[in-house]
Amino acid sequence: YLDDPSSAALTALALIGAGAALVDIGGESTRPGARAVPQDEEIARIEPVIRRLAQGGAIVSVDTRKAAVMGAALAAGAAIVNDVSALTHDPRAAALLARRDCPVILMHHQGDPETMQRRPHYDDALIEVYDWLAERIAHAEASGIARSRIIVDPGIGFGKALRHNLQILNGLALFHGLGCPLLLGASRKRIIGALSDEAPVDARLGGSVALALHGAQRGAQIL
């Protein structure tokens, strides 16, 4: 849907019709190996889609690391900011969000999208991710973002090998100790292929449902 905002919006509305509570819109891929997109181009990609969905009553989150894109998306009607860098990419982001009354998703990552899957290392992935998120929550609060507006995401697949992802999923309930709602984003990710005889992306529905149910059983509020 890169150059087709009308089709993007119609697809998002179909997802809502199928039961999605909210739709996450992004104009810059952050999958492993992805390259950065200039902020003006990112805004041009997402703004018309967000505006159309918001006018139709949809709850939209914007997936971006850049303050300027966050501002443009919120002006277009986005209700939630989903920052996969947890406010580490753009030093202006925290101050901007402190002035807005919207939920903010802080996701754990190690490295940046271009390099994050090159030999990621942890001594104890579960504890280190927990502690890192606790630090980012403290930073957000110190910047003026109320804790009641913060959602945490352990970042499955973002700078993590299979064993790290499994440690996090097995200990997922620990993250409730942070005192913030928990988001689990694992649908169709590489971990499912690795556990399913190298199943390609279009054959990972069963694994996606299994991990979603796993997250729900451990109290994740957003899947």
Side-chain angles (χ1 to χ4, degrees):
Y1 305 109
L2 191 58
D3 299 309
D4 192 355
S6 294
S7 292
L10 287 172
T11 298
L13 291 170
L15 294 172
I16 293 167
L22 58 91
V23 177
D24 193 46
I25 304 292
E28 177 186 62
S29 175
T30 49
R31 65 185 298 171
R35 294 184 177 182
V37 174
Q39 68 181 30
D40 290 346
E41 182 177 349
E42 189 177 343
I43 291 170
R45 290 176 177 182
I46 66 173
E47 190 174 37
V49 183
I50 292 173
R51 193 173 300 280
R52 179 167 177 178
L53 291 173
Q55 289 173 348
I59 301 173
V60 178
S61 71
V62 58
D63 180 350
T64 185
R65 305 176 291 170
K66 305 181 184 81
V69 183
M70 294 175 189
L74 291 169
I80 303 168
V81 170
N82 178 17
D83 184 352
V84 300
S85 82
L87 307 180
T88 64
H89 180 79
D90 189 334
R92 302 167 299 170
L96 180 145
L97 293 173
R99 299 191 299 268
R100 306 299 181 99
D101 188 25
C102 65
V104 179
I105 300 167
L106 304 179
M107 192 196 79
H108 176 273
H109 66 285
Q110 187 180 95
D112 57 44
E114 290 190 60
T115 62
M116 64 188 179
Q117 289 306 109
R118 297 176 189 172
R119 296 193 294 274
H121 174 77
Y122 302 85
D123 292 324
D124 186 320
L126 178 63
I127 299 303
E128 290 176 47
V129 171
Y130 181 98
D131 288 347
W132 189 93
L133 285 170
E135 291 175 1
R136 298 315 302 163
I137 291 169
H139 169 78
E141 287 189 293
S143 300
I145 300 171
R147 193 184 193 93
S148 60
R149 293 202 281 121
I150 298 172
I151 299 162
V152 294
D153 177 354
I156 299 299
F158 280 77
K160 299 169 184 72
L162 175 62
R163 65 185 180 279
H164 304 137
N165 289 318
L166 290 173
Q167 288 170 2
I168 291 165
L169 287 166
N170 287 333
L172 196 64
L174 177 69
F175 294 102
H176 294 301
L178 293 168
C180 298
L182 174 63
L183 183 154
L184 175 65
S187 179
R188 301 188 188 273
K189 286 188 175 177
R190 178 73 187 83
I191 180 177
I192 298 170
L195 296 173
S196 306
D197 195 26
E198 301 304 323
V201 172
D202 60 2
R204 297 177 186 173
L205 176 59
S208 298
V209 172
L211 290 185
L213 290 171
H214 174 87
Q217 288 173 337
R218 281 151 183 81
Q221 287 91 346
I222 303 176
L223 303 168

